[in-house]
Amino acid sequence: MSEDRHPAGSGQEQPLTQTGEVTPSSVGARSPGRRGFLLGVGGLAAAALVGPGGRWSGSEPTTSAGATSTRPGGSGFGLDVEARRARALQLRITTARRQLGDPFPQPAPNGDEDRYVIAGLANFTKALPHNDLGEVDPAAYRALLRALRSGRPEDFRRIPLGGSVKLVNPEGAFSFELQGPDPWQRPLAPPPRIDSEAFAGEMTECYWLALARDVPYARYGQEPITAAAIADLRRFADYQGLDTRTLFRATDPGRSSQRVVNCPLCDPLTFCLRGPLTFS
């Protein structure tokens, strides 16, 4: 059986085996690809963690001699770089396994989607086609839900759009983080119901922030817009005690950074119905 051919980076064809692997004679003829690089890095890491006799090195990094080395190793600090590398990998594996044992919270909806007959009412429908009353096209909304449930890129591409506005990073929720626990592992409180006082308070704060976006922080409470915002927001239970120091700011103890205020019915990243918002 004749051999398959695979184009090499140099413009010459390299022979492949029947399984699609590059033959040994051709490996050195071109630079390793991403897969080869990752395999090489994985091999180095595994070799660093396996001690004499093929045993796992355990919690204490050791050299081939079985003791921690203090030879320079090229770092200029008199430390064993290979032992450090092995220890770093082991710490990450141990941490990942510990995080794997933590529970994954179940999503907690606020019930608005099942409470109303009109499809998409009180839910995110931006960029989808709507009728003259502002009601979303039910088929388009179902396509959005189908994509969110499956996570497949082809389902996101099938979502009908109502104009030139596009969905902003709709698949971001399915990405993975390389630092800290998986985002899906962090609990998230359900948003307030559209018929609740909490929702009305957040909408009111959103619009006041849109009106006050050009007011310097140092002038909060000293000019009519933010003074009126403070008085108006104090009518809501969640905003009791609001003053110039806490207006549009995070409520966590010890934090004074500007609060991320999103219009509950609009894009949570960029724009409100009345205009662009200000974010930390």
Side-chain angles (χ1 to χ4, degrees):
M1 183 179 295
S2 61
E3 293 180 330
D4 294 329
R5 312 293 293 183
H6 182 74
S10 61
Q12 298 179 351
E13 294 184 340
Q14 297 294 333
L16 299 178
T17 64
Q18 295 180 6
T19 60
E21 299 287 332
V22 180
T23 58
S25 60
S26 65
V27 172
R30 60 192 178 105
S31 300
R34 180 185 298 178
R35 181 182 180 187
F37 173 77
L38 293 176
L39 289 175
V41 171
L44 286 175
L49 286 174
V50 175
R55 294 179 300 173
W56 189 263
S57 62
S59 59
E60 293 299 327
T62 59
T63 64
S64 59
T68 302
S69 172
T70 58
R71 54 187 173 80
S75 66
F77 294 99
L79 301 176
D80 189 337
V81 176
E82 294 302 320
R84 166 103 186 164
R85 177 188 298 182
R87 179 61 173 159
L89 177 59
Q90 186 176 6
L91 286 173
R92 295 182 183 184
I93 293 175
T94 302
T95 302
R97 286 175 175 167
R98 184 181 301 114
Q99 292 169 348
L100 183 63
D102 295 336
F104 265 63
Q106 293 296 319
N110 63 5
D112 279 349
E113 194 164 33
D114 299 327
R115 189 173 292 112
Y116 302 103
V117 177
I118 300 176
L121 182 65
N123 285 275
F124 178 85
T125 61
K126 188 174 181 179
L128 304 183
H130 295 71
N131 61 19
D132 293 339
L133 297 177
E135 299 170 346
V136 67
D137 176 36
Y141 185 68
R142 287 194 297 269
L144 173 63
L145 295 181
R146 188 181 307 113
L148 292 174
R149 292 188 181 109
S150 71
R152 294 193 296 262
E154 56 269 24
D155 287 341
F156 281 98
R157 289 194 291 267
R158 295 192 184 104
I159 299 174
L161 300 179
S164 59
V165 176
K166 298 180 180 180
L167 295 171
V168 179
N169 195 21
E171 299 174 72
F174 300 96
S175 62
F176 292 91
E177 292 287 342
L178 298 181
Q179 298 182 11
D182 187 88
W184 287 25
Q185 211 163 354
R186 312 313 300 166
L188 184 65
R193 291 169 38 169
I194 194 174
D195 60 353
S196 66
E197 180 183 349
F199 185 94
E202 290 189 3
M203 285 291 293
T204 304
E205 183 182 17
C206 167
Y207 287 117
W208 275 119
L209 177 58
L211 293 173
R213 60 180 176 265
D214 295 328
V215 179
Y217 299 151
R219 297 211 49 191
Y220 275 16
Q222 301 177 18
E223 45 74 54
I225 294 180
T226 53
I230 293 173
D232 189 32
L233 288 170
R234 282 177 178 173
R235 298 180 298 126
F236 299 98
D238 292 341
Y239 295 84
Q240 297 297 314
L242 184 70
D243 56 23
T244 57
R245 296 172 302 171
T246 56
L247 178 64
F248 307 137
R249 294 177 182 270
T251 56
D252 297 338
R255 281 189 64 186
S256 59
S257 60
Q258 183 173 356
R259 183 177 183 182
V260 177
V261 181
N262 302 325
C263 178
L265 295 180
C266 299
D267 189 334
L269 298 178
T270 51
F271 294 97
C272 172
L273 292 169
R274 292 282 296 274
L277 304 184
T278 305
F279 300 92
S280 56

